[in-house]
Amino acid sequence: MALNISGAIEGSFQLIGGNFATAGEASTQLKLKLTNLGVHEDIIRRAAIATFEAEMNVIIYAAAGRLHYYITQQSIKIRVEDMGPGIEDISLAMQEGYSTAPEWVREMGWGAGMGLPNMKKNSDKFSIDSVVGEGTTVEMVINFS
Amino acid sequence: MKLSELVEKLALDVKTFKDGLQIEIKGAYVSDLLSDVMANAGKCDIWITLQTHLNIVAVASMKGLAGIIIVGNRPVQEEVLKKAEEEKIAILTTPKPAFEVAGKIYQMLK
């Protein structure tokens, strides 16, 4: 099915660390945008999950971050950069069930060590780059077909 | 099965989005881990949980869930109810524990 996209559509959302009340807003808006563009429901679902998890990671761990999206006829690319503590051991962080979230975050039902694996699972391309003490950048590409 | 039928049979207390009770439930999912719900719950599932904070509304809305049943008589804060009303998410509460609620729904949907 042809999408209503000519060229590329891009934009970004500011994310504030610790701001649990607005969690999911960026992913909700992105979901709406993709729906309006006529993207397939399954693709939207994957993009929404990946974006929501990325948002949560910034809110849980970082002081602030920015989520940038780039939509073309073929795919959506989501790039999330944060000013956070960084990840010491990325392969450990990618392991399902591993988390460094504090107890109060776990009590909310977050921090189960599923965030990064969920992002990877729902992306066609996933990369993560982190510098301890500076921050983390996650890039995800989800193809439309 | 319609959500209204479930409300009646389990004597659930409807806290928000009373207009949404005509929705057809496809299944149910029990979890208190939000990432698990995001990963594994299906569209139009009813979600059984003891979590009551604001993020449950965003997760339910994102996944297109039929509603949220909050178990064990846990109180839900006004700001959460307000958000659920805005997002058109039905929040239902019950004094029953998750096991009993899930068991009954399983029987009904089987």
Side-chain angles (χ1 to χ4, degrees):
Chain A
M1 189 184 69
L3 300 172
N4 308 318
I5 304 168
S6 56
I9 299 166
E10 59 183 321
S12 63
F13 299 99
Q14 191 77 41
L15 303 169
I16 310 292
N19 200 351
F20 282 84
T22 60
E25 271 183 14
S27 30
T28 301
Q29 286 188 42
L30 199 58
K31 185 180 172 183
L32 194 66
K33 198 170 276 289
L34 293 173
T35 306
N36 291 339
L37 290 170
V39 175
H40 192 277
E41 194 182 4
D42 292 341
I43 303 288
I44 296 176
R45 188 183 51 80
R46 290 170 58 208
I49 294 171
T51 311
F52 201 139
E53 292 285 13
E55 257 186 273
M56 282 320 300
N57 276 357
V58 175
I59 290 165
I60 294 170
Y61 298 101
R66 178 171 284 276
L67 188 151
H68 183 259
Y69 61 87
Y70 186 87
I71 307 168
T72 64
Q73 194 78 32
Q74 286 78 37
S75 67
I76 175 167
K77 188 196 264 182
I78 303 155
R79 185 183 165 87
V80 186
E81 294 171 315
D82 74 37
M83 287 176 277
I87 300 168
E88 216 158 295
D89 186 339
I90 290 178
S91 66
L92 196 57
M94 291 305 301
Q95 269 179 36
E96 206 148 333
Y98 179 83
S99 174
T100 58
E103 190 54 37
W104 68 272
V105 168
R106 292 173 198 252
E107 277 170 17
M108 290 175 81
W110 297 115
M114 295 179 74
L116 288 172
N118 265 359
M119 285 184 237
K120 190 177 179 185
K121 259 185 232 166
N122 285 290
S123 308
D124 292 303
K125 250 170 76 184
F126 175 90
S127 68
I128 179 166
D129 191 24
S130 189
V131 179
V132 173
E134 288 185 18
T136 302
T137 299
V138 170
E139 217 173 82
M140 300 175 283
V141 179
I142 299 166
N143 297 325
F144 292 154
S145 56
Chain B
M1 183 176 59
K2 282 194 171 30
L3 185 55
S4 56
E5 213 176 308
L6 199 68
V7 166
E8 197 182 319
K9 286 189 173 146
L10 291 173
L12 302 171
D13 190 359
V14 183
K15 295 287 190 193
T16 61
F17 194 42
K18 291 187 168 67
D19 296 343
L21 298 182
Q22 292 314 306
I23 193 168
E24 197 71 27
I25 302 164
K26 295 273 189 292
Y29 200 74
V30 195
S31 184
D32 301 322
L33 296 179
L34 278 70
S35 290
D36 176 39
V37 175
M38 271 210 274
N40 299 313
K43 198 178 171 189
C44 293
D45 275 0
I46 184 89
W47 175 20
I48 303 162
T49 185
L50 52 69
Q51 296 291 357
T52 60
H53 61 83
L54 207 50
N55 297 160
I56 60 172
V57 179
V59 169
S61 168
M62 177 65 58
K63 293 292 290 184
L65 302 181
I68 308 169
I69 300 179
I70 294 170
V71 297
N73 233 352
R74 289 168 78 97
V76 187
Q77 299 222 327
E78 200 51 49
E79 59 163 351
V80 176
L81 297 178
K82 193 167 157 262
K83 179 86 176 167
E85 201 65 65
E86 279 169 20
E87 299 277 326
K88 297 184 162 50
I89 298 293
I91 290 187
L92 318 154
T93 61
T94 174
K96 295 184 177 78
F99 177 69
E100 197 180 327
V101 172
K104 286 197 165 132
I105 295 177
Y106 182 82
Q107 289 298 330
M108 283 183 227
L109 289 175
K110 203 167 62 163

